[in-house]
Amino acid sequence: AASLGVCRGGREDMALRRAASLAPGRQPPCPRLPRPAREGTVRWSSAAEASAVKLNEKASREKILTLESMNPQVKAVEYAVRGPIVLKAGEIEKELRKGIKKPFTEVIKANIGDAHAMGQRPITFLRQVVALCTYPNLLDSPSFPEDAKKRARRILQGCGGNSLGSYSASQGINCIREDVASYIKRRDGGVPADPDNIYLTTGASDGIATILKILVSGGGKSRTGVMIPIPQYPLYSAAISELDAIQVNYYLDEENCWALDVNELRRSLNEAKAYCNPKVLCIINPGNPTGQVQNRKCIEDVIHFAWEEKLFLLADEVYQDNVYSEGCQFHSFKKILYEMGPEYYNNVELASFHSTSKGYMGECGYRGGYMEVINLHPEIKGQLVKLLSVRLCPPVSGQAAMDIVVNPPVPGEESYSQFIKEKESVLNNLAKKAKLTEDMFNKVPGIHCNPLQGAMYAFPRIFIPSKAIEEAKVHKMAPDMFYCMKLLEETGICVVPGSGFGQREGSYHFRMTILPPVEKLKILLEKVKDFHIKFLEKYA
């Protein structure tokens, strides 16, 4: 009976068990089952079905895991980028596939920075190396360039059994950490980087959440406070909620191109000291969702503030390749910290993050990333490695992808010309789309968009009339959520309301990626313009 997958219950099962115990070594007779109508199905009588229903009714009981009994910290987590508006977009897509008529033929998901989903082509060299690592038999193929094969062999030699399918060390494959350290040194003009301070991660998000996990402690007024920019990337508020830490908001200056003002940091810190222990300061540069690129003086001021107030610095630098505006330049916090002298460089605790998901690569699905953590207490370093070892290791294919980001072809290698052509094409295209988006939004009455200096999003401020605000209340929605829902339902464009990122009271925004191809982006922007004008007329 067991081999047939039949589960008995009640008296029949008890009788069979008794028979088996009375006659050891003898199998009890197995009652005949109805012959299946076709393979994989069994025909049951209506009486048997009714009996099974009654048994299920008697057996049902209250669930152990309910909204009331679940972890309250998890329930408090919100992640707007994949929140209610995206679920609604999914429902509309299903309706379109069923042939239900809409005022549009497709949903344009401009809610998330997923470059390849928006049509961006992969970087050939990166995919070649990962393909070679995944299927080493290709190393004998003349179709692949020698510089790609050289990198693949080196990565495979660092893998257990020369296979990408083996676990790596929890901190990541050693030779890849060495390549990350070399990249940081080149990027920062010779500032030393130690591979032992490099931790490969499952995207930057994994590294950020891990560092926050090890930083949060205390209770009551001594509970760890984490200072985050508003607007922020919702990963931070979600991680803080999950860890039951205290979110401490500091506001970026929208009137000054989303600049970071140290006086605002000080205000935020001093107010927070009344109810928590602020000890972490998070910076996103270039900014998400706001797209600003911090200048050198600003970074120096932030580092001095962190040193003075004894704050642990988190520098989210995943958009370091995405800088578009003239006069703007990416400066890493690590480089500026080093150049400020030993008093700062030997004392300020800093974790910096990078990823394969953004930049010119857009390889979100590989979940590759790294963090560099400096000035960590030696005993805490051991605790961090222990914490990382619980999840065994980051995806090894993602580690290989990260290696190509930090160790791309160089002049003189056969793949260099194609690589640099593809890289510059992606970045130049993004720069054009950043300017196009800014210019078109600023021509629309009731929309204002700051310059998109970097990253891959616009975060325009939108005017919402009081009548629309009142209607949003009726629907129990934030005004900008109401606006974005209407935009989705009438145009098929999916963007994320600013309330999901945080904003000053009384101001409204949405975040939109600039990743769609230029022609589709123009259509999208025209649709937003037409919708916004009609929205103002309707609720004026």
Side-chain angles (χ1 to χ4, degrees):
S3 65
L4 288 169
V6 178
C7 178
R8 299 186 182 86
R11 293 177 185 174
E12 181 192 15
D13 189 58
M14 198 178 296
L16 288 171
R17 286 170 188 267
R18 189 178 294 118
S21 66
L22 290 171
R26 294 187 62 189
Q27 292 294 325
C30 181
R32 288 187 179 180
L33 294 173
R35 183 182 297 275
R38 60 182 181 274
E39 190 177 347
T41 65
V42 175
R43 197 180 281 128
W44 300 97
S45 70
S46 56
E49 285 178 359
S51 176
V53 169
K54 284 183 180 178
L55 281 170
N56 284 335
E57 284 174 357
K58 287 178 184 176
S60 65
R61 62 179 186 182
E62 190 176 318
K63 297 292 184 187
I64 294 166
L65 185 59
T66 65
L67 282 174
E68 289 70 36
S69 67
M70 73 174 286
N71 184 331
Q73 274 66 61
V74 173
K75 191 159 62 171
V77 168
E78 291 183 5
Y79 189 63
V81 173
R82 295 200 175 193
I85 197 114
V86 183
L87 297 176
K88 181 66 176 176
E91 290 173 12
I92 292 172
E93 281 184 316
K94 287 178 183 175
E95 290 172 356
L96 286 170
R97 283 196 292 270
K98 289 176 181 175
I100 297 172
K101 295 295 180 185
K102 302 281 181 186
F104 46 86
T105 57
E106 66 170 332
V107 171
I108 302 175
K109 289 184 176 176
N111 60 296
I112 196 165
D114 190 351
H116 292 187
M118 286 290 178
Q120 182 179 307
R121 304 298 301 164
I123 298 296
T124 302
F125 187 77
L126 187 150
R127 287 297 182 90
Q128 285 174 329
V129 176
V130 175
L132 289 162
C133 289
T134 305
Y135 188 58
N137 287 3
L138 294 173
L139 288 164
D140 298 325
S141 169
S143 301
F144 288 79
E146 282 305 315
D147 47 0
K149 291 179 180 179
K150 179 183 173 184
R151 283 163 176 78
R153 288 189 185 101
R154 182 167 180 268
I155 292 167
L156 288 171
Q157 284 166 9
C159 297
N162 291 322
S163 172
L164 217 60
S166 60
Y167 288 128
S168 76
S170 298
Q171 203 168 333
I173 296 170
N174 190 58
C175 68
I176 298 178
R177 291 191 292 116
E178 289 172 355
D179 287 346
V180 171
S182 298
Y183 162 79
I184 292 169
K185 186 177 180 181
R186 287 195 311 275
R187 181 197 68 187
D188 293 344
V191 175
D194 183 352
D196 202 37
N197 292 335
I198 307 296
Y199 303 81
L200 301 181
T201 57
T202 308
S205 302
D206 171 51
I208 292 164
T210 299
I211 289 293
L212 285 174
K213 193 177 289 185
I214 210 165
L215 277 162
V216 172
S217 65
K221 289 187 177 181
S222 66
R223 189 66 174 165
T224 297
V226 182
M227 300 179 68
I228 64 171
I230 297 297
Q232 51 106 19
Y233 178 51
L235 162 70
Y236 291 93
S237 54
I240 290 165
S241 292
E242 187 178 351
L243 295 168
D244 199 23
I246 307 299
Q247 180 174 318
V248 178
N249 297 339
Y250 66 87
Y251 289 88
L252 302 176
D253 184 0
E254 184 172 10
E255 304 307 317
N256 192 21
C257 204
W258 300 110
L260 196 166
D261 183 359
V262 171
N263 290 325
E264 169 61 14
L265 287 179
R266 202 171 301 283
R267 176 207 63 78
S268 173
L269 180 82
N270 290 338
E271 287 183 8
K273 284 178 178 176
Y275 56 85
C276 70
N277 175 25
K279 66 177 183 184
V280 187
L281 173 57
C282 302
I283 309 290
I284 308 173
N285 180 49
N288 175 11
T290 43
Q292 84 286 5
V293 178
Q294 292 175 4
N295 61 39
R296 183 189 180 92
K297 175 69 167 60
C298 175
I299 294 172
E300 287 176 349
D301 290 345
V302 170
I303 290 172
H304 177 74
F305 177 79
W307 172 81
E308 189 177 48
E309 298 291 346
K310 296 182 179 176
L311 297 171
F312 195 111
L313 264 177
L314 303 189
D316 183 340
E317 298 175 335
V318 301
Y319 296 99
Q320 58 190 259
D321 288 306
N322 301 104
V323 177
Y324 315 123
S325 292
E326 280 188 36
C328 288
Q329 182 184 349
F330 171 75
H331 302 280
S332 78
F333 268 74
K334 161 88 176 293
K335 180 177 188 284
I336 304 301
L337 179 61
Y338 185 83
E339 291 173 352
M340 287 175 72
E343 190 173 9
Y344 293 94
Y345 185 69
N346 294 328
N347 290 294
V348 174
E349 292 153 273
L350 169 69
S352 308
F353 307 91
H354 195 17
S355 166
T356 61
S357 301
K358 308 304 175 186
Y360 58 90
M361 308 79 65
E363 294 283 7
C364 303
Y366 277 117
R367 307 310 300 130
Y370 75 76
M371 60 181 175
E372 182 186 26
V373 190
I374 61 172
N375 291 324
L376 208 57
H377 190 289
E379 291 177 356
I380 293 299
K381 202 167 189 176
Q383 294 295 316
L384 176 56
V385 172
K386 177 187 76 175
L387 185 59
L388 291 171
S389 70
V390 173
R391 55 94 161 114
L392 297 176
C393 69
V396 180
S397 55
Q399 295 184 49
M402 191 74 244
D403 187 70
I404 307 313
V405 175
V406 299
N407 185 24
V410 296
E413 290 187 305
E414 63 179 299
S415 299
Y416 177 74
S417 59
Q418 182 183 8
F419 167 77
I420 207 71
K421 182 182 176 183
E422 291 176 352
K423 175 183 175 180
E424 288 179 354
S425 172
V426 170
L427 294 176
N428 290 339
N429 215 11
L430 283 168
K432 286 176 189 171
K433 291 189 283 189
K435 191 74 176 83
L436 170 71
T437 302
E438 176 197 340
D439 290 346
M440 287 191 71
F441 273 147
N442 285 328
K443 289 175 183 173
V444 183
I447 296 182
H448 172 74
C449 185
N450 273 325
L452 279 64
Q453 297 175 337
M456 47 184 63
Y457 312 100
F459 196 67
R461 185 171 65 219
I462 50 175
F463 171 70
I464 298 182
S466 55
K467 273 189 182 179
I469 293 171
E470 290 305 312
E471 189 166 333
K473 286 178 185 174
V474 172
H475 292 280
K476 296 181 179 178
M477 289 183 184
D480 50 8
M481 172 63 88
F482 176 75
Y483 178 96
C484 292
M485 220 33 118
K486 289 288 185 187
L487 176 67
L488 174 63
E489 290 167 354
E490 294 179 24
T491 68
I493 296 168
C494 180
V495 297
V496 190
S499 49
F501 300 88
Q503 55 199 353
R504 284 195 181 274
E505 188 73 28
S507 71
Y508 306 108
H509 304 77
F510 63 79
R511 190 191 79 162
M512 186 197 86
T513 181
I514 60 168
L515 288 171
V518 172
E519 291 311 311
K520 184 173 274 192
L521 182 63
K522 285 179 181 176
I523 294 167
L524 186 156
L525 292 168
E526 283 291 343
K527 283 187 172 184
V528 172
K529 180 188 81 172
D530 294 343
F531 166 82
H532 187 77
I533 290 168
K534 289 176 185 173
F535 186 87
L536 293 184
E537 288 171 355
K538 181 177 180 180
Y539 293 102

